Every structure is written in structure tokens, then in C-alpha cells.
Amino acid sequence: MAAERFLCGLGMRLVARDVRLKAGQVDLLMLDGECLVVVEVKARAGRMFGLPQEGVHWRKLRKLEQLAAMLRQQHPHLGRTERIDVVAVDLDRDGRAVRCDHIPNVTA
Amino acid sequence: MAPVLSACVDGVEARPVEVEAALAQGLPSFTIVGLTDRAVQEARERVKAAVGSSGFAFPQRRLVVNLAPAQMPKEGSSFDTAIAVAVLRASGVDGLDGGRPGFIGELGLDGSIRRVRGALALSLSLARAGATSLFVPAANADEAACARVPVHPVTRLEQVVKHLRGEELVLCHEPSPRRGGEPRPPLDLLDIQQQETGKRALEIAAAGGHHLLLTGPPGAGKSMLARAMAGLLPDLSDEESQEVTMIHSVGGLWAGGGLIARPPARSPHHSISSAGLLGGGTVFRPGEVTLAHRGLLILDELPEFQRHCLEALREPLEDGWLRLSRAAGTRHLPATFTMVATSNPCPCGAATTDRAGRRRDCNCPPEVVARYQRRISGPLRDRMDLVVEVLPVRLRGITATVAGAESSEVVRERVAAARHRQEARQGPGRLNHSLHARELERHCPLSPKTAALLGRVADTYSLSGRGFHAALRVARSIADLAGSDAIEEQHLLEACTYRAA
């Protein structure tokens, strides 16, 4: 929810939350102008195991690329291009978001 | 931002490499590009851990390190320190870009800096590339100091950073005196009984850098003579010592401090492959002929070596260089060595005359003897400047020390004096063996009488052109040992006896 608010604050429009397809699941689907954005939200409490964004490995990215292509095919009217963003969320002990970090276009 | 200077071992030399690092937007990642091998790729983990252990934050962004020139294959762990410095600079650590220092060293996970292979070659190439100072692992400092550039010996990554930022200086290394490269003392001539002809041949071969073949029955002492030759060679000159240290350090055989002072003596087993002898491999390693540069290549039991290995020796025996052409390119390798070979006259080894002139009982059929001797091809035999038959020792008196026998040291001094004469006449590092036909005319003038004598010998023994020149070179060395400027009749006659044997 914090990530959604954060991105809306950056001027992006929400299309759908938690999109579930046979091939997998997309956390947030947004529009940034004419661009369809597939957003992966990664949250971690504490830095013991590294930054939250370090948990987005190449297999997950491959899956997200596949999902983005499928969504574009199913909904051709949504935007002209697509890209994949990651939002890293730091949580405190009670699970509240402390900080959000937006990394645009991670597969470029 | 200026790139960080480092270097990479290539053959028996090294080439400068520039390391640059760039941070970009994106998921955290660390990529190294520039035709790297596994060891360089693994540097990612070493650098990441070492930067962390040295108290710096590793950048949590997309990080790309480029090693230039991009088309040159790079191998080894000598870039680790340079990569770490480039990464720290890119991540915004200030004060790291003063001057134009060169960095070599392998990193440990705890931020320590470990020794590398080929430190001398790396330092020399960095000095040529214009590095104003060098940061090298403390374990390699003695070697690197020969490059005549200020050397900062370092053991930890944070030392490098602190020095560059002017917080805590690392003092320049004072090179320690040269140390010898002889792991165990070679056999002394005093350890060898009798065999005066053999010892004399060793002395001549050592003086002029002539190739020597010792033949004789088993147990006569051929191998002992060959091993004793190492003790007859004088110490290396400064330039020679630098060349030899560079090669041995690249070959991973020299881990001591400073320069190698004694000429190398390599005695590979006869099962050696041609890549082992000449050098090769996907990651190039110098072969035995290059490791024997400025020293001895001892080939014990010459006929037992593989034929194609022996034939490959023809060019280096003659030119002192080796041109090695492979799919990856052509290399010019130094291979100025003196070869000392031993062989039996036949498979049973007894086909020889004893001191009384009787044939010992050899039970090999003549064609077997001929076939055995054919294993050393004509062209190779022709390149042996001195061929000496080592006769069986007289068993009476073998335990007693002969009065008047000379130690290796005495002979080595004579050899050094003879070499001194040669260098004064022919230029530094030029021994009689390396004289060309034209130089022979100038440095080996013969009186009409001696010239006529040489002509007669050449006719009688049907010497080849090469054999003719070799006899002249050997005669020159004998004259040098005798301290004579002119080649006298007895010098030439002695030279011819070694040729005709």
C-alpha cells in the first residue's frame, strides 16, 4: 500500500493491484504516461540479508518480462510501451513501511 | 574520471591494463567486462568482501568495471587491488585520484593484499606505461623494486586508501641486496674423480656458451659432469638477472625476494611434452627452454626424449630465440641457453672403447646401435659444438682424492675471465657461441698456417658449414681461456678433437 501511494505521488496512475495470471502474479500494474509499468514490490525488515532489491533475482525478472508481454497482448489499449520497475520497501519491526526506493526500468 | 592503472601477465612479459568503474541506475549488480578469465570474474567476490572488510560501503547500485584494452585476454588475480580502488572512487570516496600510480595485488576477503605471479614483469610494464609509483604486495616488493619506480609495499587495502588520501603514508621500499637463485649447491668438480677430458669440455662449454654432448657407458659419470656444469657458470649480470627473474617469476617458480643471481639450470625428465619444453597452454606458460634462458638446459639421456621435442630445439639452439606460432598468435620467447646433453652409445651402453683401447663387450647388434644413434638426428648432432666421449673410470684409486684436482670455484674464475675477454671484444652478453659468420672473420683471425690446418680438418672429417664455424668458435673460447688474443694452432687442434669425436 505504501508502494502504491509512493508511486502515485510520483505521478503514476494505478491500473490494477495483485494481478494473477496462470504464468504468475504482478504486484502493481500502473501507467506512467503512455507507458505500462509492471511493478515488483519487495519489502524486507532489516538489512541482515542485504537490501530488499537484492532479492529480485534474474529468474524473477525473466518472469516479470514474460508477464508484461502477456498483459500488453491482452490489453493493447493500455499504453504504448512497457517497462518493469522495482519498489524496495524497508519495514520496521511492526511491519510498517519506513522508506521506499523506486528503481525504474530494471531490465534495460 | 581517469582510469586506474594495473597490468596483466602475457607470455613472459606483461602489458598495462586500465581499470574503470561506472555506477548506473538499476538493481544492485556487479559486472566485470574485458575478455576476462575465471580468476578475474571471481575477483568480484573478493573485491566486494575486501571493500566491506576495509570499512567502506560497497555501492548498492548497478556497477560495471571495464578492463581496457578490451580485445586483450586477461587472466589472473593481479587486478584485484586496482578494481577495488576504481570501485571506491566510483562510489564517491574522495582523494583517491592523485598522481598516476599503478596497482598490483590479489585481495583476500578480509582486505589483505596477497602476492602475485610475475611481479617484476608487471612492475616493468607499469613503469613503461608511465606509472609514477607502484602499490605492490609487500611479499613482492623486493622484486618490483627493480623497475626503478618508487614502490609502496602494502599488506592491506585500507593502507592503499589511507596513503592516497594522505592520512597515513606507506614508506617506499628499500630494495634488499640480491639473493642467489640456487636452492641447493650444485655438484662440485672435486666430487668427480678423474674424467679430465670431460671437465675440460665443461670448462670450454661454460666459457663460450657452447652446446655439449657427453656420450659414454652407464656409470661413467656423464650425468654427474652435466650437473657439475651449473657450478662453473659465473653469476648473472644485472640485465641478465632481471631477464631471468622476470621469466621465473611469471612461470611461478620464483617466490623469493629480489633478483635471481645465479644462472638457472633446468633438467627436465625425458618424458617431457613439446608444450612443456617450448611453452604453451591456453593461459600461456613458458617452457623449459625459456626457463633455461641465460643458463643451462640439461637433457640427460638425450635419445630417450621424444623425437619431435628434440627437433623443435633446433632453432633455439642456434638463434637463442624461439618463435612460437599458435592459433592465438605468434610469440617471441627468449631461449638463450647452453645445452648439456648425455647419451649412451647404444642401448646396452657398452659400445665404446675403454682406456686401454679395447672394445668392451657390447651385445647389441650393429643395426640396433645404428638405430639408437639415429635417434639423435644429424641436424641436432651438428648443433652440438663439443662432443665428448666419457670413458669408464679406472676403479683403482677411485676412492682417493687426486692431488692437483681443481674445485668448481677455481674453474669458474677462469670461465669468468674468459667471458670477460669475450664481452670486452664482442659487446655485453655476447658469448662466442652467438658469433655470426661475419663476426667470426673479425674476431677469429687465423694465420695462413692455422687456416690451412682448419681446411685440412674440415676436408678429412667432411665438416658442414655450421661445423666449420662451430670449430672456429670453440677454438676462440679455448684461446680466450688461455688468455690469448690470437687463435694458435694448439687451440684449433683441441677444438677439432671435440668436433671429430
Side-chain angles (χ1 to χ4, degrees):
Chain A
M1 297 316 99
E4 184 189 322
R5 254 178 284 125
F6 179 71
L7 290 178
C8 290
L10 292 174
M12 289 160 69
R13 282 189 298 125
L14 179 71
V15 178
R17 266 182 220 119
D18 197 16
V19 184
R20 286 170 189 273
L21 301 170
K22 262 187 197 149
Q25 174 259 356
V26 171
D27 291 336
L28 289 172
L29 196 57
M30 309 201 72
L31 269 173
D32 185 8
E34 289 285 280
C35 188
L36 179 70
V37 185
V38 171
V39 182
E40 170 69 15
V41 181
K42 199 79 190 173
R44 266 187 193 174
R47 287 287 161 85
M48 185 79 90
F49 301 101
L51 290 179
Q53 58 264 44
E54 281 182 278
V56 187
H57 46 80
W58 65 271
R59 217 179 306 119
K60 182 74 189 172
L61 288 176
R62 193 64 37 80
K63 174 78 65 182
L64 289 171
E65 277 176 343
Q66 204 183 332
L67 289 170
M70 280 167 73
L71 285 166
R72 287 272 301 141
Q73 219 164 30
Q74 288 171 14
H75 308 283
H77 57 282
L78 278 175
R80 281 174 213 258
T81 55
E82 81 242 10
R83 68 164 206 254
I84 296 159
D85 288 8
V86 170
V87 175
V89 185
D90 282 322
L91 302 175
D92 64 8
R93 275 202 202 147
D94 307 322
R96 280 190 300 262
V98 189
R99 199 183 66 95
C100 283
D101 197 1
H102 177 217
I103 304 156
N105 209 3
V106 289
T107 50
Chain B
M1 203 182 293
V4 179
L5 206 55
S6 189
C8 171
V9 169
D10 177 35
V12 294
E13 293 170 325
R15 287 173 202 287
V17 169
E18 297 190 326
V19 182
E20 25 189 29
L23 280 173
Q25 212 38 256
L27 290 179
S29 67
F30 185 9
T31 319
I32 300 181
V33 297
L35 271 192
T36 56
D37 76 345
R38 281 289 294 273
V40 185
Q41 285 305 319
E42 283 163 0
R44 289 185 299 184
E45 302 304 327
R46 289 193 295 270
V47 169
K48 211 181 247 182
V51 164
S53 335
S54 304
F56 298 98
F58 195 84
Q60 300 282 12
R61 285 200 282 159
R62 216 173 113 175
L63 175 63
V64 180
V65 167
N66 179 35
L67 306 180
Q71 82 287 350
M72 183 183 102
K74 293 164 202 74
E75 54 117 357
S77 53
S78 56
F79 315 108
D80 289 8
T81 312
I83 294 174
V85 171
V87 166
L88 287 174
R89 268 211 226 163
S91 67
V93 177
D94 302 323
L96 295 184
D97 22 28
R100 192 172 156 76
F103 300 88
I104 51 184
E106 175 184 317
L107 288 176
L109 297 183
D110 57 351
S112 59
I113 295 181
R114 299 203 170 114
R115 73 159 70 242
V116 294
R117 196 164 61 82
L120 177 56
L122 295 168
S123 313
L124 285 171
S125 75
L126 283 171
R128 272 198 304 274
T132 48
S133 65
L134 300 178
F135 289 85
V136 301
N140 293 118
D142 270 332
E143 216 184 309
C146 308
R148 291 182 189 82
V149 176
V151 163
H152 303 289
V154 283
T155 51
R156 304 196 55 80
L157 180 60
E158 65 251 37
Q159 275 185 295
V160 177
V161 177
K162 280 182 180 159
H163 179 94
L164 289 172
R165 301 167 88 176
E167 288 166 6
E168 196 176 304
L169 295 184
V170 181
L171 293 182
C172 278
H173 183 71
E174 294 286 338
S176 66
R178 296 197 325 186
R179 266 188 265 164
E182 204 71 48
R184 61 200 152 118
L187 212 64
D188 198 276
L189 281 189
L190 283 177
D191 299 331
I192 302 171
Q193 298 283 322
Q194 305 163 25
Q195 304 298 10
E196 278 70 28
T197 330
K199 289 179 184 174
R200 173 70 177 160
L202 288 185
E203 181 178 343
I204 298 168
H210 306 291
H211 304 305
L212 171 64
L213 173 63
L214 301 163
T215 67
K222 301 180 299 293
S223 308
M224 277 174 91
L225 281 168
R227 290 223 305 278
M229 174 117 169
L232 303 188
L233 299 178
D235 284 352
L236 298 168
S237 72
D238 286 348
E239 290 93 292
E240 288 172 342
S241 165
Q242 190 169 315
E243 287 174 32
V244 170
T245 309
M246 196 163 116
I247 293 167
H248 283 245
S249 169
V250 166
L253 296 166
W254 178 239
L259 294 178
I260 298 176
R262 293 288 301 150
R266 307 290 304 176
S267 42
H269 186 249
H270 57 68
S271 60
I272 192 171
S273 69
S274 70
L277 192 61
L278 306 173
T282 36
V283 173
F284 184 87
R285 293 293 166 104
E288 292 291 339
V289 293
T290 302
L291 293 171
H293 182 60
R294 302 287 178 203
L296 288 184
L297 182 67
I298 301 170
L299 300 184
D300 214 353
E301 307 299 348
L302 191 66
E304 304 298 332
F305 282 74
Q306 292 175 47
R307 181 69 183 254
H308 66 275
C309 285
L310 291 184
E311 300 311 314
L313 286 174
R314 291 186 194 183
E315 291 82 8
L317 280 174
E318 191 87 330
D319 311 329
W321 281 91
L322 179 64
R323 251 180 95 83
L324 210 57
S325 291
R326 294 288 183 269
T330 300
R331 285 175 194 281
H332 235 62
L333 298 164
T336 310
F337 57 87
T338 301
M339 178 165 136
V340 183
T342 71
S343 96
N344 293 130
C346 67
C348 85
T352 183
T353 47
D354 65 12
R355 285 183 190 266
R358 290 184 307 255
R359 271 189 77 81
R360 300 178 76 217
D361 15 81
C362 163
N363 44 25
C364 307
E367 67 272 14
V368 174
V369 177
R371 196 185 314 138
Y372 192 74
Q373 294 198 344
R374 269 206 306 276
R375 288 206 199 167
I376 307 172
S377 72
L380 188 66
R381 193 178 283 272
D382 200 37
R383 281 167 173 80
M384 306 310 293
D385 306 298
L386 300 147
V387 182
V388 176
E389 199 174 8
V390 179
L391 297 173
V393 285
R394 290 181 303 270
L395 292 181
R396 195 174 306 159
I398 194 169
T399 48
T401 330
V402 185
E406 287 176 312
S407 72
S408 290
E409 203 182 329
V410 174
V411 178
R412 183 164 66 231
E413 270 160 31
R414 272 208 304 274
V415 168
R419 285 198 171 194
H420 195 70
R421 293 178 69 88
Q422 298 171 42
E423 297 197 344
R425 185 174 60 226
Q426 288 141 212
R430 294 295 311 276
L431 297 184
N432 288 337
H433 177 259
S434 70
L435 291 177
H436 308 305
R438 268 220 320 279
E439 292 169 317
L440 276 173
E441 265 171 46
R442 184 148 40 106
H443 298 307
C444 311
L446 295 176
S447 68
K449 205 173 136 214
T450 45
L453 175 71
L454 182 57
R456 277 208 308 283
V457 173
D459 284 342
T460 318
Y461 294 100
S462 55
L463 290 184
S464 65
R466 193 201 329 269
F468 184 88
H469 284 144
L472 208 51
R473 289 188 198 109
V474 172
R476 179 69 267 176
S477 295
I478 295 170
D480 284 329
L481 277 170
S484 157
D485 283 332
I487 299 177
E488 308 285 353
E489 199 177 323
Q490 75 264 26
H491 303 146
L492 194 60
L493 278 175
E494 191 185 346
C496 291
T497 61
Y498 299 123
R499 197 68 211 171

